[in-house]
Amino acid sequence: MQVIDQLKAMSAERFLAIYSSLDQHGFGPLDGEVAKSLRFRPQAVRKLPMATRAKRAKQILETSGNSELTYELIGGYLLKNCKALVTEFLDATGVKHEDGMIEDVDASQPDRKKIKSVVAELDKKYAPADVTLYLAICAEQWPKVTELQELWEARR
């Protein structure tokens, strides 16, 4: 549930930035769920300001505790806006992937000995908030790799 905890700690402004960055033709990534919760038709939700839709989407994710949907949203943001961060981490820790996508998460885990130094290097190159988001994803993805959980918890 790291991604849910990360979401709950996130400011409304940060979530709005993430949500807006995933906009497709005027629709936010969870606008269908937002429309349903407001009893709007899907097209009608576009008339609401993005900040209103993002606020409602965050509430939906937090109250439902839907970690899969939250994971997808944060993962989508990271792959769209921070792909280099993701691929550098995977490459530097020896995780097999194709353009940031891991085929078999269980079979390909990061080298525990390299994690701390790799994260320190990522912090120098990328926004620490994005590195922390990625650590939340990694800690959830690889729960047996305690180094990821410890690094993420230290940053919360």
Side-chain angles (χ1 to χ4, degrees), residues 120-140:
E121 287 302 311
L122 293 175
D123 276 332
K124 294 176 188 174
K125 293 176 75 173
Y126 303 100
D130 288 335
V131 176
T132 302
L133 270 181
Y134 188 58
L135 280 173
I137 291 270
C138 290
E140 192 149 320

Side-chain angles (χ1 to χ4, degrees), residues 16-97:
L16 173 59
I18 290 170
Y19 196 79
S20 298
S21 77
L22 296 172
D23 169 280
Q24 290 185 356
H25 309 292
F27 285 102
L30 300 176
D31 278 357
E33 287 81 2
V34 169
K36 195 183 309 179
S37 76
L38 296 171
R39 299 176 195 244
F40 281 23
R41 289 177 298 128
Q43 290 290 354
V45 81
R46 288 176 73 181
K47 295 178 183 175
L48 294 174
M50 187 62 81
T52 303
R53 291 184 269 162
K55 181 179 179 181
R56 185 60 158 215
K58 188 173 189 285
Q59 288 173 340
I60 290 168
L61 291 173
E62 288 175 348
T63 57
S64 71
N66 189 332
S67 62
E68 285 181 32
L69 190 54
T70 305
Y71 182 96
E72 287 181 32
L73 180 84
I74 292 172
Y77 163 77
L78 289 167
L79 285 175
K80 181 178 181 190
N81 299 292
C82 310
K83 187 178 273 190
L85 181 160
V86 172
T87 57
E88 284 180 38
F89 175 85
L90 297 173
D91 289 341
T93 59
V95 176
K96 294 177 185 175
H97 67 96

Side-chain angles (χ1 to χ4, degrees), residues 2 5-6 9-10 14 78 85 89 115-139 146-156:
Q2 293 87 344
D5 291 343
Q6 193 67 40
M10 193 179 292
R14 173 81 167 135
L78 289 167
L85 181 160
F89 175 85
I115 292 171
K116 193 171 186 175
S117 63
V118 169
V119 170
E121 287 302 311
L122 293 175
D123 276 332
K124 294 176 188 174
K125 293 176 75 173
Y126 303 100
D130 288 335
V131 176
T132 302
L133 270 181
Y134 188 58
L135 280 173
I137 291 270
C138 290
T146 56
E147 292 81 357
L148 292 168
Q149 179 71 25
E150 290 166 4
L151 278 174
W152 174 71
E153 284 179 359
R155 298 167 76 102
R156 294 192 322 155

